[in-house]
Amino acid sequence: MGVDYGALAPLFIILGVACVSVLVEAFVPLAQRARVQLVLTLAAIAVALVVVIVRATSGVPATIVLAGSLSVDSVSLFLWGTLLALAIPSVLMIADRSVEAGGAFVADPEALAEAQERAGARTPVTVGAGGAGGSGSDGAGRAGSSRGSATPPPEMHTEVFPFVLFALGGMLAFCAANDLLTMFVALEVLSLPLYLLCGLARRRRVLSQESAVKYFLLGAFASAFFLYGVALLYGYAGSVRLSDIAAAAAGSLRSDSLLYGGLALLVVGLMFKASVGPFHTWTPDVYQGAPTPVTAFMAACTKVAAFGAILRVFFVAFGPTALEWRGVLWAVAIASMVIGTVLGLTQTDLKRMVAYSSVAHAGFLLIGCLAITPAGLSGTLFYLLAYGFTTIAILGLISLVRSGDGEANHLSAYAGLATRSPVVAAALSFCLLALAGVPLTSGFTAKFAVFSAGLGDGEAPLVIVGLVCSAIAAFFYLRVIVMMYFSPPAPDGPSVSLPGPLTTVSITLGVVVTLLLGVVPTAALDWAAAARFLG
């Protein structure tokens, strides 16, 4: 019987074009490289997304391919569609060069000197309709040699495009992996490009490179935990395939020590990648230090891939033993919600606030994961879609508020923002209210779906904690809105850069989807409700 390799067409397209984009870096002239890479990347994502939609709507049966290593079922197709849809606005933000002259990424990765960086930070930057640039800054945090003369914007760091495609390919494989070794390989494929992307910020290079090193070191520890858990589970079941582990757990006479020890170590690796507290320690520093477009890509797409893998592990491999391990993960979910909410209240940097918000939302997502019911699965899938678009829009809007040394992320910079830019303030307020779960936004629909699934599966105490944390977390979202509308603007406060077409499309897409999923969510909810795993 033949193998349906057409089921893997989206994955082949993304990884194949990633390899082509590496050749573009080698052979296409520098002047045309950025445009070629952008067109190539967007075309690959768009074609892959069309293939996913066609397969999802054509009624083709689910299948397991590549010697049982990847499962292309309705859950995989929903996650793939979500990842590819979120990748489009992320790539648009990455490619934009209007907000930051030359783009958000440094043109010369070796250009770093503390004294020069501080000198560049003191150089005034003029922010206006044409974007962010500096008459005396070279855009990489260093003082320019001719302060009075206009200099052309520096070239864009185009290596980011193959990095993004390889990371996206790893994410597609990660959430569709049908065995733990494939899942581990996909985890490394998606992680290594992200480590590099986090250290390529044009501004605040030391902070960016520190975040990249921290992410790499902690990610290496998490990968080691994951791999050791795979070894223990193989010792228990004699296989790394998820369905074989489930069969062994349901009827094996072996000691359960290997089973639960392996699950514990596996969960550590998965929770790290999903930014679930208390395995979240990398998240605030990396979100703050990474270039904002990379932060948006990670906050949206990485969370989708990580929770896709968590759902597959919980539902397919450990569903039969849910009663034994669910209590421990209740504690993890509560810890994540409480940590994200409490520490989010203390933040004055907006990117760090978004990071702790993601930790709290990871706890909400775990409520759906722990339900182990069709309602829990569909609610979690819808939540991932809604949260991704809202977060991309928020980070895109944050990137527009700028001072002389780059983004102005301190909360005080947003005082009176509604006076300076009513449109940006209104869009940011709407997205923050969506994260808070206000009705007529995607956040309300998503939380309602997840909490309803939790209540239906007897998780009332967990849902109560989630509701309380949601109410408390609304404070730090509303604090930003109050600052924007009810605080007087500082005379020397930051400017709001007019975004270019790419960032405008990215932000508009995020805001529109956030509104549509709150007002008319039926289509997305129905697609999520029809999703089922193929073990």
Side-chain angles (χ1 to χ4, degrees):
M1 185 174 64
V3 179
D4 183 13
Y5 287 105
L8 293 177
L11 182 60
F12 290 155
I13 290 170
I14 296 299
L15 292 179
V17 174
C19 295
V20 172
S21 66
V22 173
L23 298 179
V24 170
E25 288 296 313
F27 297 109
V28 173
L30 186 62
Q32 292 86 34
R33 196 179 297 165
R35 182 175 300 176
V36 172
Q37 290 283 36
L38 175 60
V39 172
L40 194 64
T41 301
L42 288 178
I45 295 172
V47 172
L49 180 58
V50 169
V51 172
V52 169
I53 294 173
V54 169
R55 186 173 182 89
T57 56
S58 62
V60 178
T63 182
I64 297 177
V65 294
L66 294 182
S69 60
L70 291 173
S71 177
V72 183
D73 49 30
S74 53
V75 176
S76 297
L77 293 175
F78 186 96
L79 292 169
W80 285 4
T82 301
L83 284 169
L84 294 167
L86 292 172
I88 292 175
S90 300
V91 169
L92 292 176
M93 285 180 59
I94 287 170
D96 190 275
R97 301 209 301 168
S98 63
V99 178
E100 176 79 54
F105 302 90
V106 65
D108 180 7
E110 296 180 358
L112 176 64
E114 274 290 345
Q116 291 178 335
E117 185 174 85
R118 288 195 294 270
R122 290 194 296 270
T123 304
V125 175
T126 302
V127 182
S135 60
S137 173
D138 65 358
R142 296 171 295 168
S145 57
S146 56
R147 294 202 173 191
S149 61
T151 57
E155 294 296 334
M156 183 179 179
H157 191 73
T158 54
E159 289 90 339
V160 298
F161 292 103
F163 288 161
V164 168
L165 285 174
F166 278 117
L168 183 60
M171 293 173 188
L172 296 178
F174 190 52
C175 60
N178 193 49
D179 67 66
L180 295 177
L181 279 183
T182 302
M183 194 173 286
F184 173 74
V185 172
L187 174 64
E188 296 306 302
V189 172
L190 77 89
S191 297
L192 291 175
L194 293 178
Y195 300 151
L196 296 171
L197 288 170
C198 289
L200 296 178
R202 184 177 293 275
R203 302 275 186 168
R204 298 169 182 167
R205 296 296 315 287
V206 172
L207 184 63
S208 175
Q209 292 179 343
E210 178 189 348
S211 71
V213 171
K214 182 174 293 186
Y215 190 23
F216 169 72
L217 292 176
L218 293 177
F221 277 109
S223 296
F225 277 107
F226 186 95
L227 195 57
Y228 194 18
V230 173
L232 293 181
L233 290 171
Y234 179 78
Y236 175 81
S239 172
V240 293
R241 188 168 297 180
L242 299 180
S243 56
D244 293 341
I245 294 172
S252 176
L253 297 178
R254 302 181 184 94
S255 170
D256 289 339
S257 300
L258 286 177
L259 175 66
Y260 296 121
L263 173 61
L265 294 173
L266 198 70
V267 163
V268 170
L270 292 172
M271 297 298 171
F272 171 88
K273 189 54 65 178
S275 302
V276 178
F279 312 103
H280 69 286
T281 50
W282 61 276
T283 309
D285 293 331
V286 174
Y287 276 37
Q288 182 185 23
T292 300
V294 174
T295 303
F297 179 62
M298 293 173 57
C301 295
T302 306
K303 193 169 291 287
V304 172
F307 271 98
I310 290 171
L311 285 169
R312 190 168 295 276
V313 167
F314 285 178
F315 276 71
V316 178
F318 295 99
T321 59
L323 291 177
E324 285 79 8
W325 52 260
R326 225 169 31 158
V328 175
L329 291 180
W330 271 40
V332 173
I334 292 172
S336 186
M337 291 185 284
V338 172
I339 289 171
T341 301
V342 173
L343 295 184
L345 293 172
T346 67
Q347 302 306 307
T348 56
D349 184 283
L350 255 68
K351 287 176 74 174
R352 293 183 72 89
M353 189 197 79
V354 171
Y356 282 109
S357 171
S358 77
V359 175
H361 282 276
F364 303 148
L365 282 160
L366 272 183
I367 296 176
C369 295
L370 295 177
I372 315 293
T373 62
L377 175 61
S378 62
T380 305
L381 293 177
F382 181 84
Y383 201 123
L384 292 170
L385 175 64
Y387 175 80
F389 277 104
T390 303
T391 304
I392 287 176
I394 287 176
L395 289 166
L397 292 163
I398 288 174
S399 71
L400 302 181
V401 183
R402 309 186 70 82
S403 61
D405 60 343
E407 293 174 3
N409 293 329
H410 196 276
L411 182 62
S412 61
Y414 287 76
L417 184 68
T419 303
R420 298 177 183 271
S421 180
V423 175
V424 171
L428 183 57
S429 299
F430 176 73
C431 293
L432 290 173
L433 291 175
L435 289 185
V438 172
L440 299 182
T441 66
S442 60
F444 173 80
T445 309
K447 286 184 178 179
F448 183 82
V450 168
F451 291 162
S452 297
L455 286 174
D457 197 49
E459 298 179 5
L462 204 56
V463 172
I464 291 173
V465 174
L467 290 171
V468 172
C469 288
S470 293
I472 296 173
F475 171 78
F476 57 78
Y477 301 130
L478 293 174
R479 179 176 58 179
V480 180
I481 298 173
V482 169
M483 289 287 291
M484 290 191 295
Y485 282 94
F486 299 104
S487 296
D492 57 346
S495 302
V496 178
S497 176
L498 290 179
L502 301 181
T503 297
T504 300
V505 171
S506 178
I507 294 172
T508 303
L509 186 61
V511 173
V512 169
V513 173
T514 299
L515 176 62
L516 291 178
L517 292 180
V519 178
V520 284
T522 307
L525 284 172
D526 289 345
W527 188 13
R532 295 292 184 272
F533 286 108
L534 176 65

